[in-house]
Amino acid sequence: MDDHALAAALVTDAAETAARMRRDGTETERKTSAADLVTAADRAAEALVGRMLLEHRPDDGVLGEEGARSEAASGRRWTVDPIDGTFNYVAGLPAWCSAVSLDVDGALRVGAVRRHQPDETWVASDERTTCNGEPVPDLPDVPLATTAVATFLNASHLRSEAAATLTALLGAAATIRISGSGSCDLADVAAGRIGLWVQTDCADWDWLPGRALVEGAGGAATIVTANGHDWHLAGAPTAVAEAAALLSTASDPDA
């Protein structure tokens, strides 16, 4: 398999494993908070992806959310999020997915996201994004004031020093959507359903798969440092530029 087909297979098999284990019942543990959960399905799906990569790309490196780590002299590295949106997964909500990405010598080459509900397999490679094997059209370029912005929030965000900055950014949009799964949101951005996605201080597995989808659909993606946080932005080029300018102003009170 080429990298595009392999990425699709990785997320499809991981999501099917997770869906089957949820039907059968799976153990759940708390990690850092009541909202930060890990299940036996997270670990089983990540282990499955690891075995598939060992079979098909034994010389590649791996970085997984649940602890998979291996370095590679080849310069190729896969990131793995076996279940993004674990809280939703446990609660029986539909917004969860499996996601992977591949970077080569630090350059993002492939991203893939499998959403069990709806039945969507997203893959980006060669700077183009497909959904269920069909190329997606370029997403519409819209200003922030006319579109939805998706983000991730829990109670700690509301208590942080970045709360005022986040409130200002969200308040500049037409409306707000919070699903609880960043990679699901980024697939919706690539589909043109949402104009902008923003989240602070993302791990690579929460950022790179969805970023590839958005860029492959003609969108923009960037990281802006403001008020001690790295703000990850992806979406319509105009909305991203406006959000980045807002964040830059927020970090410089004399601007």
Side-chain angles (χ1 to χ4, degrees):
M1 290 186 285
D2 63 15
D3 289 332
H4 181 109
L6 178 57
L10 293 173
V11 294
T12 298
D13 288 2
E16 178 55 36
T17 294
R20 174 179 50 78
M21 292 184 70
R22 187 170 71 168
R23 289 192 300 267
D24 295 343
T26 184
E27 295 179 358
T28 303
E29 301 172 21
R30 182 182 299 183
K31 291 200 285 189
T32 62
S33 70
D36 186 15
L37 304 178
V38 62
T39 70
D42 289 87
R43 297 189 177 107
E46 183 164 296
L48 172 64
V49 171
R51 292 193 299 271
M52 293 175 69
L53 287 173
L54 189 60
E55 177 183 356
H56 295 283
R57 298 291 190 275
D59 296 327
D60 289 3
V62 180
L63 174 66
E65 181 180 13
E66 305 310 333
R69 300 287 188 279
S70 65
E71 300 296 328
S74 66
R76 292 168 51 91
R77 184 197 67 163
W78 295 85
T79 64
V80 182
D81 195 346
I83 302 176
D84 181 51
T86 300
F87 190 95
N88 292 342
Y89 170 86
V90 171
L93 296 169
W96 64 270
C97 65
S98 297
V100 302
S101 69
L102 170 67
D103 55 82
V104 181
D105 296 327
L108 180 60
R109 295 293 180 83
V110 179
V113 171
R114 170 61 185 173
R115 301 176 70 173
H116 192 66
Q117 293 178 294
D119 178 12
E120 293 179 347
T121 302
W122 292 82
V123 186
S125 66
D126 299 323
E127 300 181 342
R128 290 307 307 168
T129 297
T130 64
C131 180
N132 293 342
E134 296 295 326
V136 302
D138 283 351
L139 56 86
D141 191 17
V142 292
L144 182 56
T146 67
T147 192
V149 58
T151 191
F152 174 77
L153 283 177
N154 60 33
S156 65
H157 290 103
L158 301 177
R159 297 189 295 266
S160 77
E161 70 281 4
T165 301
L166 181 60
T167 299
L169 193 159
L170 298 179
T175 188
I176 303 161
R177 295 293 178 265
I178 302 174
S179 77
S181 169
S183 291
C184 286
D185 289 340
L186 286 163
D188 283 331
V189 171
R193 302 163 184 158
I194 292 172
L196 177 72
W197 179 85
V198 57
Q199 189 168 324
T200 58
D201 305 321
C202 289
D204 283 351
W205 51 77
D206 286 325
W207 167 239
L208 296 179
R211 174 192 145 191
L213 301 185
V214 173
E215 291 180 328
T222 190
I223 301 173
V224 177
T225 300
N227 293 337
H229 294 273
D230 289 332
W231 300 76
H232 295 64
L233 303 166
T238 296
V240 169
E242 290 173 344
L246 190 156
L247 290 169
S248 296
T249 300
S251 67
D252 182 3
D254 297 323

